[in-house]
Amino acid sequence: MRRRFLLHLLAMLPLVFLTGCDETPTGRAQLALVPHNMMAQMGEDAFEQLLNSQPISRNAAVNNLVQCVVQKVVTAAKVSYPALDFPQAWEVVVFEEHSPNAFALPGGRIGVHSGLLDVAETPAQLAAVIGHEVSHVLADHGNERLTQQLGIKAVLMLVGVMGEGDMGHQQLMQALGIGAQLGISLPFSRTHEEEADLMGLAIMARAGFDPQQSVVLWRNMAASGGGQPPEFLSTHPAHASRIKALQQGLEEATATYQTVAPADCSG
């Protein structure tokens, strides 16, 4: 598996300048140079590694709930952002992992930790998380971060690939946003997190999930503990700042929510 990652990395270097500056769905200028088919292949490889190393939940009720929420969120995302390219299908897996987390990968792979259901107490709260993670993929955040890494650390990455150690492999996993699942700590930047929050809010509202529940979710996250560092020491927004930003987007999202049928994932 590691060999495939390294081969992708080596093949990528002469190709990264074939594409240029673009914009995210929110209109932010973005430099994301890695070809999308290569990002999708890396997402597939990363997901395969997780499937081979992480236990999978067989809880039928949990799996049905997650599948229902994902289906509605993805459908709404296509309506919200019709100009974007979407995967033909999304593979969704619930992993037996106590940490309240989820992730989405280029190419259409979504992983949900079973522990998330202890914090996301309603389908709408789960939709807030799924919408956020899908937004990272739609906004090409992994590509943008990998482009930044290649621009600054290309030589170091090559040294890591050709020498001893796992630097090339680890940086690819970090850029895809799943480093935390493998014990590699590198969260998305504040800019990426804030952008995914606002996009996810719009998507969950379009899907028929009450956007007010996004605020409740993050209050639950804050109450669930975990020594989150002060905001100035972290690339993630502090819970209070994240909630404030979401509240500022609630008026528009609520107006959208009131125009659609409420989602039903009650089983």
Side-chain angles (χ1 to χ4, degrees):
M1 184 63 60
R2 178 172 178 267
R3 177 182 174 82
R4 294 184 68 181
F5 271 95
L6 301 184
L7 290 174
H8 283 312
L9 181 61
L10 291 171
M12 187 185 307
L13 293 175
L15 295 174
V16 294
F17 296 107
L18 293 181
T19 56
C21 292
D22 206 342
E23 288 188 349
T24 67
T26 66
R28 178 178 61 84
Q30 178 186 61
L31 186 65
L33 300 175
V34 183
H36 288 172
N37 62 336
M38 189 170 291
M39 290 298 299
Q41 184 61 60
M42 288 189 292
E44 179 182 343
D45 290 349
F47 203 63
E48 181 181 344
Q49 178 175 347
L50 290 170
L51 290 174
N52 291 332
S53 62
Q54 305 291 326
I56 296 173
S57 173
R58 303 301 178 187
N59 185 311
V62 167
N63 277 277
N64 289 339
L65 170 62
V66 170
Q67 292 284 349
C68 177
V69 170
V70 168
Q71 187 273 326
K72 292 183 183 301
V73 165
V74 169
T75 299
K78 293 178 180 179
V79 176
S80 298
Y81 300 100
L84 298 182
D85 291 330
F86 282 79
Q88 292 184 349
W90 292 77
E91 182 179 0
V92 184
V93 173
V94 179
F95 294 95
E96 281 290 357
E97 165 58 47
H98 71 277
S99 61
N101 206 353
F103 58 89
L105 300 178
R109 275 87 185 174
I110 294 174
V112 175
H113 290 185
S114 57
L116 180 60
L117 279 302
D118 296 327
V119 178
E121 298 173 343
T122 67
Q125 291 174 28
L126 179 60
V129 179
I130 301 300
H132 173 98
E133 297 302 330
V134 167
S135 294
H136 276 309
V137 174
L138 299 183
D140 225 5
H141 288 159
N143 192 337
E144 185 177 8
R145 182 160 60 183
L146 186 53
T147 297
Q148 292 168 351
Q149 291 177 345
L150 286 169
I152 297 172
K153 299 181 178 180
V155 175
L156 293 177
M157 290 176 73
L158 280 175
V159 170
V161 170
M162 301 306 293
E164 297 181 358
D166 272 342
M167 185 191 326
H169 169 75
Q170 290 186 354
Q171 286 185 301
L172 286 172
M173 299 299 278
Q174 290 168 348
L176 290 171
I178 57 173
Q181 276 69 41
L182 300 177
I184 309 165
S185 179
L186 182 64
F188 279 111
S189 71
R190 287 189 192 182
T191 298
H192 291 168
E193 287 294 309
E194 291 166 359
E195 192 166 44
D197 275 345
L198 293 179
M199 288 178 62
L201 192 66
I203 290 170
M204 71 177 291
R206 179 71 62 186
F209 295 103
D210 183 359
Q212 299 277 351
Q213 289 292 303
S214 66
V215 174
V216 179
L217 167 76
W218 285 106
R219 286 176 178 156
N220 291 349
M221 286 284 195
S224 68
Q228 187 183 43
E231 183 171 9
F232 69 90
L233 295 177
S234 173
T235 55
H236 270 75
H239 292 313
S241 296
R242 177 170 243 147
I243 289 170
K244 182 178 180 180
L246 287 168
Q247 287 174 328
Q248 291 174 345
L250 278 178
E251 183 176 355
E252 182 177 353
T254 299
T256 298
Y257 173 63
Q258 291 172 344
T259 68
V260 300
D264 182 8
C265 286
S266 60

